[in-house]
């Protein structure tokens, strides 16, 4: 296992400490979260179940014997654990490298505590080196792309990828995101955008980097 992978695993394992007995856990998507799910399997008799942010995580949770619950039935969650593609010093994130950004954003919005688990390579001073994913309704792809160019980005269609919601993704390159809250709002207002991968209006509450809680 290389250094980055070891950092992800340590962070995911550390996040297990925040799981409360008898609770329902919000679970993100990706390679870091995979380690979290493996650890959660050992605690499965102590929790009621999980709310999943993707079909991929749902399959993993079920493989590990963890009940997957419907967010409409659970109400607000005490804890959401997820990775990120980038994290700035204010705990604002770029997410969606795995294409699960919309369901991830919904669960983040419904959770009292969002614990973000990353390795140190994901830390940046200014968001935007990682192309910003934007989920779009298929018929709006070209329209949204033009609007994103007007905002200064270079959108690239993630061709062949269909999200769990049946939509498409544009990855927006060359953005230097100086005001993530404002850009998140602007992009989300474009007709045809489902949501963008900026988690700035609702940032993480706690960030664990290489297994250590960041100040
Ligand atoms: C998926 C995500 C992931 O959290 C993000 O892509 C990080 O993934 P990984 O843990 O594999 O590096 O937002 O939509």
């Amino acid at each position: 296992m290389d250094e980055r992978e070891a950092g992800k695993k340590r962070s995911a394992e550390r996040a297990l400490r925040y799981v409360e007995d008898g609770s329902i856990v919000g679970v993100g998507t990706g390679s870091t979260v995979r380690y979290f799910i493996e650890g959660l399997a050992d605690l499965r008799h102590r929790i009621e179940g999980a709310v999943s942010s993707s079909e991929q995580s749902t399959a993993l949770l079920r493989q590990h014997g963890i009940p997957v619950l419907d967010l409409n039935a659970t109400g607000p969650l005490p804890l959401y654990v997820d990775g990120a593609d980038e994290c700035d010093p204010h705990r604002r994130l770029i997410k969606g490298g795995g294409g699960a950004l919309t369901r991830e954003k919904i669960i983040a919005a419904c959770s009292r505590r969002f614990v973000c688990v990353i390795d140190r390579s994901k830390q940046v001073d200014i968001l935007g080196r990682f192309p910003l994913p934007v989920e779009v309704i298929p018929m709006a792809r070209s329209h949204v792309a033009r609007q994103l160019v007007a905002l200064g980005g270079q959108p690239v269609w993630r061709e062949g990828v269909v999200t769990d919601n049946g939509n498409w993704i544009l990855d927006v390159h060359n953005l230097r995101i100086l005001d993530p809250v404002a850009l998140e709002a602007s992009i989300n207002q474009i007709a045809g955008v489902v949501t963008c991968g900026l988690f700035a209006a609702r940032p993480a509450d706690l960030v664990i980097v290489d297994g250590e809680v960041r100040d």
Side-chain angles (χ1 to χ4, degrees):
M1 185 182 291
D2 67 23
E3 191 56 34
R4 279 189 61 186
E5 212 55 29
K8 290 179 184 185
K9 189 165 188 286
R10 281 200 297 274
S11 293
E13 286 169 354
R14 180 74 189 257
L16 291 166
R17 295 188 197 182
Y18 296 90
V19 176
E20 292 167 19
D21 282 357
S23 68
I24 299 168
V25 185
V27 174
T29 299
S31 55
T32 314
V33 164
R34 179 180 285 265
Y35 295 120
F36 179 73
I37 294 173
E38 284 167 6
L40 199 60
D42 296 331
L43 310 180
R44 69 180 179 279
H45 299 300
R46 287 174 34 194
I47 61 168
E48 204 177 314
V51 170
S52 170
S53 62
S54 63
E55 300 303 324
Q56 183 193 93
S57 289
T58 296
L60 278 172
L61 287 159
R62 291 204 170 119
Q63 272 169 33
H64 285 90
I66 301 166
V68 177
L69 308 173
D70 176 0
L71 183 62
N72 289 311
T74 63
L77 305 175
L79 175 68
Y80 175 48
V81 176
D82 200 358
D85 301 300
E86 277 187 355
C87 177
D88 82 1
H90 306 283
R91 291 175 270 102
R92 300 175 300 200
L93 315 169
I94 286 184
K95 291 184 45 55
L101 60 159
T102 299
R103 295 188 189 187
E104 291 172 341
K105 199 175 274 196
I106 294 166
I107 300 179
C110 291
S111 299
R112 279 195 287 282
R113 182 184 246 173
F114 174 8
V115 173
C116 181
V117 283
I118 56 173
D119 70 275
R120 75 179 65 180
S121 72
K122 309 280 185 69
Q123 296 189 103
V124 296
D125 287 330
I126 296 173
L127 297 170
R129 196 177 56 202
F130 189 92
L132 176 67
V134 179
E135 180 164 351
V136 299
I137 301 291
M139 73 172 286
R141 175 176 59 86
S142 298
H143 167 69
V144 173
R146 287 189 292 274
Q147 303 303 307
L148 292 168
V149 168
L151 288 172
Q154 288 184 317
V156 175
W157 179 20
R158 208 184 287 182
E159 247 182 299
V161 171
V162 178
T163 70
D164 288 345
N165 313 307
N167 299 314
W168 292 349
I169 290 185
L170 295 170
D171 292 305
V172 191
H173 295 249
N174 297 332
L175 287 172
R176 195 163 178 270
I177 305 173
L178 297 174
D179 188 343
V181 175
L183 187 66
E184 180 179 4
S186 302
I187 294 177
N188 285 345
Q189 275 184 30
I190 300 169
V193 167
V194 180
T195 199
C196 73
L198 272 170
F199 285 53
R202 199 281 181 248
D205 299 304
L206 192 91
V207 179
I208 303 177
V209 184
D210 288 351
E212 299 295 328
V213 175
R214 199 174 78 177
D215 291 332

